[in-house]
């Protein structure tokens, strides 16, 4: 499948859950675990992400609270898009 076709399919409402339906069946537990690890700004995934960003980009003035909030929102959107119908 061409990149253009894949991109067009991914923009349709519900496209990700339709396009990846077979693959998501086997990965749903792992993806649910990912979502749970980023459930809120105090969850371990959000802290791990923020700590890693601070470590890797220590030369920048990064706000850990903002990084955690952004990580939570990104994973929430990612998971919701994969599993929307």
């Amino acid at each position: 499948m061409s990149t253009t076709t894949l991109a067009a399919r991914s923009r349709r409402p519900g496209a990700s859950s339709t396009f990846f339906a077979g693959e998501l069946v086997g990965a749903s537990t792992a993806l649910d675990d990912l979502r749970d690890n980023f459930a809120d700004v105090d969850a371990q995934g959000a802290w791990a992400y923020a700590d890693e960003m601070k470590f890797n980009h220590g030369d920048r003035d990064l706000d850990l609270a903002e990084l955690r909030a952004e990580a939570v929102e990104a994973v929430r959107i990612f998971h919701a898009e994969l599993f929307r119908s």
Side-chain angles (χ1 to χ4, degrees):
M1 175 177 305
S2 74
T3 305
T4 305
T5 304
L6 180 58
R9 288 181 74 175
S10 66
R11 285 192 297 265
R12 292 193 328 245
S16 57
S17 59
T18 303
F19 186 71
F20 295 110
E23 289 84 357
L24 290 178
V25 171
S28 64
T29 300
L31 292 167
D32 288 348
D33 288 346
L34 174 69
R35 178 201 58 207
D36 295 346
N37 283 326
F38 287 84
D40 58 53
V41 295
D42 291 320
Q44 71 177 25
W47 274 102
Y49 172 78
D51 288 344
E52 190 67 24
M53 285 293 290
K54 192 75 166 176
F55 178 79
N56 289 331
H57 304 283
D59 58 326
R60 297 181 186 172
D61 184 27
L62 299 174
D63 181 342
L64 290 177
E66 185 176 329
L67 288 170
R68 292 192 326 263
E70 290 173 352
V72 167
E73 184 64 5
V75 172
R76 184 195 66 75
I77 292 168
F78 173 73
H79 191 276
E81 285 295 314
L82 284 176
F83 291 100
R84 73 179 167 154
S85 50

